[in-house]
């Protein structure tokens, strides 16, 4: 499982604040960059490993703030102000929301405890990254790249040149469509493998990696005469990054198509200022009783918020009638 965005970390503690941070699905990390869950399962967090190995090796333990069902910038800032964490991890769309929530001076004060502000999931727009570094200090900003299949790279804002260097026990390569490695500077598909434990397992079993090369379809290139890898595109065909979460468009399509009153549907991916991109649906039906509200309830019972259509257009088709109903945007 990939580490979720909206996380904050703090030094180990045993007071009420530490217990309060640790509540929720992730009950706090175990030593060795793993989170403890209510069930006896070890789920490593790759973004935490990046912090532990490269940014804060002297503080191997972290307490994660529970990830809410919907990210809210003001609540995130309240949490940072209240708990004084060492580091925080957000995706670019969330960083933009935080940036828009408060004046620059207030943001600097609210984030004063952070030694590291880590962003990931998608390449951060250069203008936003530069503003963030100007507000917090360039030495406190870094980018992490990784996936649910392999660990990745860590790139401080102050590093020279493009791309990031692989984390220890991580191998990355760039390949062509035939999975043959390509020359430095040539764009191709990123493949990786990690000897670090990134596989969920029972706590009485050892953490292990996978020896085979794996990929999620992201594109990148290796920087000549370095070990750096630059990620150039994470827009994998058939997938969309919604509010920092990569979702499969086919899952939304199949879920809507499974409704007994739906005769067909199309799913579209559109850019969005706040969420990066969103899904919208055009649904065809012959049932006069079907409404967009019914479809929203259907989706809410089967899909996560990023997977649900941001807007639904309902097209009714009958022998002598053709009408179109449009609904306002949903909240993620």
């Amino acid at each position: 499982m990939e580490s979720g965005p909206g996380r904050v970390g703090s030094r180990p503690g045993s007071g009420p604040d530490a217990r309060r941070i640790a509540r929720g699905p992730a009950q706090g990390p175990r030593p060795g960059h793993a989170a403890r869950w209510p069930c006896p399962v070890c789920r490593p967090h790759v973004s935490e490993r990046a912090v532990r190995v490269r940014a804060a090796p002297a503080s191997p333990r972290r307490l994660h703030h529970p990830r809410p069902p919907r990210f809210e910038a003001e609540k995130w800032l309240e949490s940072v102000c209240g708990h004084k964490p060492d580091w925080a991890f957000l995706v670019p769309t969330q960083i933009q929301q935080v940036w828009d929530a408060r004046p620059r001076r207030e943001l600097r004060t609210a984030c004063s405890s952070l030694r590291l502000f880590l962003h990931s999931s998608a390449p951060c727009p250069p203008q936003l990254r530069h503003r963030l570094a100007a507000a917090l200090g360039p030495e406190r900003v870094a980018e992490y790249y990784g996936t649910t299949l392999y660990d990745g790279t860590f790139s401080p804002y102050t590093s020279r040149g493009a791309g990031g260097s692989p984390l220890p026990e991580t191998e990355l390569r760039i390949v062509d469509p035939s999975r043959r490695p390509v020359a430095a500077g040539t764009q191709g598909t990123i493949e990786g493998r990690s000897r670090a434990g990134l596989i969920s397992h029972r706590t009485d079993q050892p953490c292990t990696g996978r020896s085979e090369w794996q990929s999620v379809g992201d594109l990148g290139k290796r920087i000549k005469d370095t070990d750096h890898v630059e990620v150039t595109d994470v827009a994998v065909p058939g997938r969309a990054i919604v509010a920092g979460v990569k979702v499969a468009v086919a899952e939304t399509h199949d879920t809507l198509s499974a409704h007994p009153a739906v005769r067909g549907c199309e799913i579209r991916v559109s850019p969005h200022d706040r969420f990066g991109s969103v899904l919208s649906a055009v649904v065809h039906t012959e049932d006069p009783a079907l409404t967009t509200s019914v479809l929203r309830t259907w989706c809410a019972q089967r899909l996560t918020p990023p997977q649900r259509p941001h807007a639904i257009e309902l097209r009714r088709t009958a022998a002598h009638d053709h009408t179109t109903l449009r609904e306002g945007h949903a909240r993620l």
Side-chain angles (χ1 to χ4, degrees):
M1 175 179 177
E2 189 170 358
S3 180
R7 298 186 183 277
V8 297
S10 66
R11 294 186 178 88
S14 57
D17 285 345
R19 289 194 296 271
R20 194 158 51 242
I21 296 173
R23 288 176 183 164
Q27 297 296 318
R30 297 167 58 87
H33 69 277
R36 185 166 60 234
W37 294 68
C39 55
V41 172
C42 175
R43 290 177 178 246
H45 289 293
V46 290
S47 69
E48 183 179 358
R49 172 170 157 76
V51 174
R52 184 175 65 87
V53 172
R54 287 296 173 92
S59 302
R61 293 181 59 202
R62 289 294 182 271
L63 293 176
H64 287 308
H65 181 72
R67 181 183 176 184
R70 178 175 181 270
F71 178 79
E72 295 184 18
E74 285 292 347
K75 289 185 178 180
W76 184 86
L77 285 166
E78 290 175 6
S79 178
V80 171
C81 289
H83 297 303
K84 306 296 182 185
D86 294 322
W87 64 275
F89 167 45
L90 292 179
V91 303
T93 53
Q94 294 171 334
I95 295 175
Q96 186 65 61
Q97 293 179 50
V98 171
W99 185 269
D100 294 339
R102 301 274 185 90
R104 176 173 165 175
R105 182 179 300 176
E106 292 186 23
L107 283 177
R108 186 184 294 112
T109 301
C111 298
S112 60
S113 69
L114 297 179
R115 289 187 295 154
L116 178 69
F117 198 114
L118 192 68
H119 58 85
S120 185
S121 182
C124 191
Q127 185 178 10
L128 177 61
R129 193 169 185 236
H130 295 334
R131 287 187 296 180
L132 186 66
L136 302 183
E139 71 284 353
R140 298 164 65 191
V141 178
E143 181 171 10
Y144 167 77
Y145 165 74
T147 76
T148 55
L149 299 181
Y150 54 81
D151 216 333
T153 64
F154 182 85
S155 176
Y157 183 88
T158 53
S159 64
R160 295 182 178 180
S165 56
L167 292 170
E169 301 185 54
T170 299
E171 295 179 87
L172 298 176
R173 68 179 186 179
I174 311 299
V175 300
D176 62 18
S178 299
R179 300 192 67 185
R180 292 190 297 263
V182 299
T186 302
Q187 179 175 275
T189 301
I190 301 174
E191 291 189 341
R193 58 186 181 186
S194 302
R195 288 184 291 275
L198 295 178
I199 304 172
S200 298
H201 59 84
R202 294 184 60 86
T203 53
D204 58 357
Q205 299 173 344
C207 290
T208 59
R210 289 189 175 97
S211 59
E212 66 270 19
W213 292 100
Q214 300 181 92
S215 177
V216 296
D218 294 341
L219 301 180
K221 58 184 179 181
R222 186 172 295 281
I223 307 302
K224 188 176 181 179
D225 298 329
T226 73
D227 66 345
H228 286 201
V229 171
E230 180 182 6
V231 181
T232 56
D233 195 353
V234 294
V236 180
R239 295 185 180 269
I241 297 179
V242 181
V245 179
K246 187 174 289 186
V247 301
V249 177
E251 292 184 23
T252 303
H253 175 274
D254 293 347
T255 298
L256 280 169
S257 299
H259 191 284
V262 172
R263 294 293 172 263
C265 74
E266 298 94 41
I267 305 298
R268 300 167 180 169
V269 181
S270 304
H272 191 276
D273 290 341
R274 184 176 183 186
F275 302 119
S277 61
V278 293
L279 306 183
S280 60
V282 177
V283 177
H284 303 270
T285 183
E286 297 175 1
D287 187 348
L290 183 63
T291 65
T292 52
S293 179
V294 169
L295 290 175
R296 288 217 171 276
T297 300
W298 175 269
C299 290
Q301 295 170 345
R302 295 163 175 82
L303 298 171
T304 63
Q307 292 176 307
R308 301 169 196 167
H310 191 61
I312 297 177
E313 180 180 319
L314 190 58
R315 294 183 178 177
R316 255 185 253 287
T317 304
H320 303 289
D321 181 41
H322 179 86
T323 58
T324 299
L325 298 179
R326 289 183 175 86
E327 184 196 30
H329 294 161
R331 297 180 67 193
L332 289 180

